Amino acid sequence: MYNTKLQVTDNTSGESLINENNSAHSDVRKQAKLLDSLIAKLIQQLAIIYANVELQQNYSAIAGNLVETMGLDADCHEPTPYSNLWSEQDIVLITYGDSVFTTSSTSSSAPLATLDKFCDEYLPELTGIHVLPFFPYSSDDGFAVMDYSTVNPSLGDWQDINRIASKRRLMADLVINHCSSRSVWFDNFIKQKTPGKDYFFTVDEDADISDVVRPRVSPLLRATRTENGVKQVWATFSHDQVDFDFRNPEVLIQFVRIIRLYLDMGVNIFRLDAVAFLWKVTGTKCINLPQTHEVIRLLRTLVEHAQPDAMIITETNIPNTQNLTYFGNANEAHGIYNFSLPPLLVNTLITGSCLYLKRWLMSMPPAQNGTTYFNFIASHDGIGLRPVEGLLQQEEVDTLVETMELFGGKVSWRADKEAQKAYEINIALIDALKGTIKGEDHLGFERFICAHTIMLALEGIPGIYIHSLLATRNDYQKVAATGQNRAINRHRWDINELIELLEDKHSQHHQVLSSLNHLIKLRKQQAAFHPNATQFTLHLGLQLFGIWRQSQDRQQSIFCISNVSDQDVTLPLTEINLIVSESWYELITSTKLEADMTSMTLAPYQTVWISNIAT
């Protein structure tokens, strides 16, 4: 009897083991099939990228190397196509690692630790954080990277980065077009040693570069003496920022290795800096080339198989129609920087007319599922002017530039075939909006809040620059000290001085932060503000800018209407077709609209969010 029971028990155990083994074999087969499919896709992408390049390895070998470098041979995930990796909860802080710091003798906190604590206490509603390049660098406030694998010791270390990433969605820069001329790679290029020997793009002195689109006025080529003679090195941005040569697959593999490191360190969003310039072909404009787009698609393929909730956002400060191409067919960038928004919104608020903003918004395609706009109105850079080419008349651009100069702004220039052209306006946003084309006035605060209220309501993920949240004004001392126009909006706050100002209820710093925190918290509660929720542009004249947002389940509608002028304006409620069978609420002031209400008077720069759901 005992033996019979033992036999039965053994059979049950055996069946269990067989089931487990079958399951394990099924998983192995599934992984093998997924890897085969991935490698086949990578081979197709590599064939497009390197179609006109003579390679020492075949595409299959390079694909295998990429898979191994990303660690996908051991852990590969199947991405879900057209999946939205974001919600109305996502709002990103844009900041340098040392935008706030401490000099206290009683504290030895690294700037990244100080930033983390400051965000905990004063910016609790922001769910994401873009820490601008936090690596050792030689110039351009971090964008001339010397070492991609370490954290700048003056900011902190990887533990500080991990701590930030454990609390918020972390965006980091992949400075992919160029690196510092003081990097080990470029030093090896000069010495003709590996790694680095063949990493940088060079051309003959007589190469045709006449059509190259330039974002700067400095000479494009940098004569560099190497062990093999003088080389003409391509330098799109400055002679301290030397461009990579992605015709060499080893460069691509190095950046995949960097991406893997950043994922392991908690980075969830990759901002591809200046990626539009990545691939070069002499005799062309050397911007937005097909190979560049395919490199981005390949990187997305690798990233989404490594970590399906990770995102790629392209930073392409170029005309609007070109910028939109970086969505691909929902298979390229997850998000694109909405570069046309800052100049158009500033133009709207200083002229009192939403004509150009409305025209642009009506022409913008809704982002497909799996893609989104990244909206911002201020950043560490300036207000770009290339993104309004074809959107603003030259007279409007000239007026914008003149008004910003009147408010203390600087202008950065770029080279053009015929003459230098204004490339961007460098100014703190709170100063940019302190008046109109008629001059400075007393409505700067209202105008500034209005700009953010409009941005927070738009389709896409909002990104808010730390110096907008803190109402930081133009930093002329830093401009003088660095000789760089962009330094005007890159102030560094001593944390004790800043907290004293923020705790003063009468200071503009406190008032701005309180107002924006209120709006941010309110926005996160609205399903109609999902980045991919429906958006329609309203036609309410030129002084009232309005959009209608509707949640994806069609349960919530919000009419977002702003008076963009310095005069009172009446809004006839019949113009927005409020359904009479529903109750309506103004969310910002938490008031219910009376059933017999026929109009509202909006004060200068006042915004209303009228919703059928009170929150």
Side-chain angles (χ1 to χ4, degrees):
M1 194 67 175
Y2 178 82
N3 288 335
T4 303
K5 289 182 178 179
L6 179 62
Q7 186 65 45
V8 170
T9 303
D10 283 348
N11 283 342
T12 305
S13 176
E15 289 174 3
S16 176
L17 286 172
I18 289 170
N19 289 336
E20 288 179 11
N21 286 335
N22 286 339
S23 176
H25 285 309
S26 176
D27 289 343
V28 169
R29 287 194 297 270
K30 186 177 179 181
Q31 275 288 300
K33 186 177 179 180
L34 181 59
L35 276 174
D36 286 344
S37 174
L38 170 61
I39 288 173
K41 183 174 182 179
L42 291 173
I43 289 172
Q44 290 178 345
Q45 293 173 323
L46 291 167
I48 295 172
I49 295 168
Y50 296 111
N52 299 312
V53 179
E54 187 176 336
L55 301 176
Q56 294 181 348
Q57 286 184 303
N58 61 36
Y59 299 143
S60 181
I62 298 170
N65 200 337
L66 291 171
V67 166
E68 182 180 358
T69 301
M70 188 62 99
L72 298 176
D73 50 344
D75 186 20
C76 188
H77 302 268
E78 186 169 11
T80 303
Y82 306 107
S83 177
N84 293 328
L85 308 176
W86 43 80
S87 74
E88 62 273 15
Q89 296 286 317
D90 286 289
I91 300 177
V92 178
L93 171 70
I94 304 168
T95 180
Y96 279 103
D98 60 354
S99 289
V100 292
F101 67 96
T102 180
T103 56
S104 171
S105 59
T106 61
S107 173
S108 58
S109 291
L112 284 170
T114 302
L115 175 66
D116 179 45
K117 185 178 179 182
F118 177 76
C119 290
D120 286 346
E121 294 180 8
Y122 288 90
L123 305 172
E125 296 295 333
L126 276 78
T127 54
I129 181 169
H130 173 201
V131 182
L132 290 153
F134 46 79
F135 319 103
Y137 69 95
S138 56
S139 64
D140 199 18
D141 279 351
F143 286 93
V145 179
M146 296 171 63
D147 182 357
Y148 289 84
S149 64
T150 61
V151 175
N152 188 337
S154 68
L155 297 178
D157 55 30
W158 281 119
Q159 279 190 316
D160 296 305
I161 293 296
N162 291 153
R163 189 182 307 110
I164 290 171
S166 70
K167 302 175 186 177
R168 304 167 192 88
R169 202 168 184 185
L170 176 61
M171 183 194 296
D173 290 275
L174 192 67
V175 185
I176 195 169
N177 178 71
H178 52 261
C179 72
S180 168
S181 66
R182 292 171 53 193
S183 66
V184 171
W185 286 344
F186 196 68
D187 188 53
N188 283 346
F189 168 80
I190 292 171
K191 297 173 182 175
Q192 289 293 283
K193 294 169 53 179
T194 57
K197 176 183 175 182
D198 301 314
Y199 280 15
F200 299 92
F201 194 86
T202 62
V203 295
D204 296 332
E205 282 189 272
D206 59 352
D208 181 7
I209 58 174
S210 58
D211 286 333
V212 174
V213 172
R214 297 298 317 286
R216 299 288 185 273
V217 295
S218 57
L220 175 61
L221 301 181
R222 176 193 195 272
T224 303
R225 188 173 300 280
T226 75
E227 290 295 321
N228 285 346
V230 175
K231 304 287 186 182
Q232 299 297 325
V233 180
W234 202 278
T236 299
F237 289 88
S238 78
H239 281 195
D240 187 40
Q241 293 164 294
V242 283
D243 285 32
F244 290 110
D245 188 352
F246 272 85
R247 295 174 302 179
N248 180 357
E250 284 300 316
V251 175
L252 177 63
I253 291 166
Q254 284 285 12
F255 271 94
V256 171
R257 184 171 289 114
I258 292 164
I259 289 171
R260 179 69 262 178
L261 170 66
Y262 293 0
L263 285 171
D264 292 340
M265 294 302 174
V267 173
N268 184 259
I269 306 173
F270 294 87
R271 176 185 182 269
L272 302 190
D273 176 66
V275 70
F277 301 96
L278 180 140
W279 198 273
K280 291 90 172 164
V281 177
T282 55
T284 73
K285 293 182 178 181
C286 296
I287 188 171
N288 306 322
L289 296 184
Q291 296 92 332
T292 293
H293 286 280
E294 200 62 40
V295 168
I296 298 169
R297 293 188 188 109
L298 181 142
L299 294 179
R300 173 166 175 164
T301 297
L302 292 169
V303 166
E304 65 187 4
H305 279 81
Q307 188 171 314
D309 68 342
M311 292 174 57
I312 286 175
I313 298 183
T314 49
E315 186 268 338
T316 47
N317 190 357
I318 53 181
N320 188 60
T321 53
Q322 296 174 28
N323 193 27
L324 289 170
T325 64
Y326 283 86
F327 277 141
N329 184 24
N331 62 349
E332 199 165 328
H334 294 90
I336 62 171
Y337 268 70
N338 217 348
F339 273 105
S340 298
L341 178 60
L344 287 174
L345 187 50
V346 172
N347 166 268
T348 293
L349 292 168
I350 65 169
T351 63
S353 168
C354 64
L355 174 63
Y356 296 101
L357 179 63
K358 188 165 65 172
R359 279 182 181 173
W360 165 72
L361 206 62
M362 289 172 61
S363 71
M364 291 290 279
Q368 295 182 60
N369 281 330
T371 66
T372 185
Y373 294 104
F374 187 78
N375 295 324
F376 72 105
I377 47 177
S379 74
H380 61 291
D381 290 337
I383 300 171
L385 296 176
R386 289 219 67 205
V388 290
E389 290 178 10
L391 300 176
L392 281 181
Q393 296 178 3
Q394 188 57 46
E395 182 182 352
E396 295 285 335
V397 174
D398 293 342
T399 299
L400 176 61
V401 170
E402 291 166 7
T403 305
M404 294 303 98
E405 288 183 307
L406 179 66
F407 295 159
K410 308 289 183 181
V411 179
S412 293
W413 303 85
R414 68 179 181 91
D416 186 73
K417 275 187 174 183
E418 300 170 359
Q420 291 186 8
K421 286 188 176 181
Y423 178 71
E424 69 180 14
I425 304 163
N426 305 113
I427 191 170
L429 187 64
I430 193 130
D431 281 312
L433 295 174
K434 65 183 180 181
T436 69
I437 57 175
K438 296 177 287 188
E440 188 174 347
D441 59 26
H442 65 286
L443 294 168
F445 172 81
E446 290 81 3
R447 195 177 291 111
F448 183 78
I449 298 301
C450 179
H452 287 87
T453 313
I454 290 173
M455 181 189 70
L456 287 168
L458 290 173
E459 173 190 356
I461 298 173
I464 307 180
Y465 190 38
I466 191 169
H467 291 304
S468 295
L469 288 160
L470 304 179
T472 310
R473 293 200 171 275
N474 291 335
D475 189 337
Y476 299 112
Q477 288 184 334
K478 194 165 186 181
V479 173
T482 63
Q484 301 296 321
N485 286 347
R486 285 180 166 179
I488 200 169
N489 198 23
R490 298 179 179 180
H491 184 71
R492 296 175 68 238
W493 279 105
D494 180 292
I495 192 68
N496 295 317
E497 176 191 354
L498 176 60
I499 288 174
E500 184 177 345
L501 290 168
L502 292 177
E503 294 298 325
D504 178 2
K505 294 184 178 180
H506 300 290
S507 76
Q508 191 174 60
H509 306 281
H510 171 90
Q511 292 166 2
V512 164
L513 183 58
S514 296
S515 297
L516 293 182
N517 272 337
H518 168 65
L519 290 169
I520 290 166
K521 185 175 182 178
L522 188 60
R523 181 195 190 275
K524 291 170 61 178
Q525 298 168 1
Q526 317 306 322
F529 284 152
H530 185 285
N532 295 87
T534 299
Q535 175 174 294
F536 290 107
T537 306
L538 303 176
H539 298 279
L540 303 170
L542 298 182
Q543 292 178 299
L544 293 176
F545 172 75
I547 56 173
W548 170 45
R549 302 297 308 277
Q550 186 180 55
S551 60
Q552 292 174 304
D553 62 7
R554 300 194 177 185
Q555 295 300 303
Q556 185 185 29
S557 286
I558 305 180
F559 294 92
C560 312
I561 301 164
S562 300
N563 178 0
V564 298
S565 76
D566 57 4
Q567 304 292 321
D568 289 350
V569 178
T570 298
L571 165 66
L573 294 180
T574 53
E575 293 293 315
I576 57 176
N577 299 319
L578 301 181
I579 299 172
V580 294
S581 60
E582 296 191 19
S583 296
W584 293 89
Y585 307 86
E586 201 293 295
L587 298 177
I588 297 174
T589 56
S590 299
T591 56
K592 183 177 180 179
L593 274 60
E594 298 296 333
D596 59 351
M597 196 171 181
T598 59
S599 66
M600 302 175 69
T601 298
L602 272 61
Y605 307 108
Q606 180 184 355
T607 295
V608 290
W609 287 347
I610 301 173
S611 173
N612 61 328
I613 296 176
T615 53

